[in-house]
Amino acid sequence: MLKQSFRPEFLNRLDEIVFYKPLMKDEITKILDLLIQDLNKRLEDKNVGIELTKDAKDYLIDNGYDEVYGARPLKRFVQKKLETLIARKLLTGEIKPNTIVKVECRDNELII
């Protein structure tokens, strides 16, 4: 397929062609766990922690993963849906210091 799409002059400049297989759901789950771990580190100074239920994790994975772009959209989706929700709750005082926040998914929406 590459020979059909690109000229030999271009292909000759490539050192190596690497093929990637799509990420599996357990690999995406590990990436999400790393994103949540990073979020928990950023919330340490507020003495706040985050725990996700299985439904919340599934919601983030199902809506944030794209087969074409991999896990990159997942990070943006977590920022948009989860981090924004937590930031708003922190600013309004609904999340108090020394709290572990449990995040659930109901009716296709994250709730605390």
Side-chain angles (χ1 to χ4, degrees), residues 3-100:
K3 288 180 183 180
Q4 293 171 355
S5 300
F6 298 103
R7 298 182 60 147
E9 294 84 9
F10 173 75
L11 292 175
N12 192 37
R13 293 181 181 266
L14 300 177
D15 291 332
E16 189 174 351
I17 298 171
V18 180
F19 296 97
Y20 293 94
K21 62 181 173 117
L23 296 170
M24 304 303 291
K25 188 165 182 167
D26 62 325
E27 295 164 327
I28 298 298
T29 302
K30 290 177 186 176
I31 292 171
L32 178 62
D33 290 340
L34 290 173
L35 292 172
I36 300 305
Q37 183 180 7
D38 179 58
L39 178 58
N40 276 322
K41 284 181 185 175
R42 289 184 280 143
L43 289 171
E44 279 180 354
D45 64 326
K46 305 253 187 248
N47 293 323
V48 174
I50 301 295
E51 285 184 4
L52 296 176
T53 63
K54 182 179 179 337
D55 290 339
K57 279 187 178 185
D58 289 341
Y59 169 77
L60 291 169
I61 290 169
D62 293 341
N63 292 290
Y65 174 69
D66 185 327
E67 271 190 37
V68 175
Y69 297 106
R72 284 188 179 94
L74 178 65
K75 183 175 182 177
R76 286 189 289 273
F77 192 75
V78 168
Q79 289 172 337
K80 181 180 175 185
K81 294 294 183 176
L82 180 62
E83 291 183 21
T84 300
L85 175 67
I86 292 167
R88 287 185 177 148
K89 300 283 184 183
L90 282 169
L91 289 173
T92 60
E94 293 179 56
I95 298 177
K96 306 289 184 205
N98 301 317
T99 305
I100 301 292

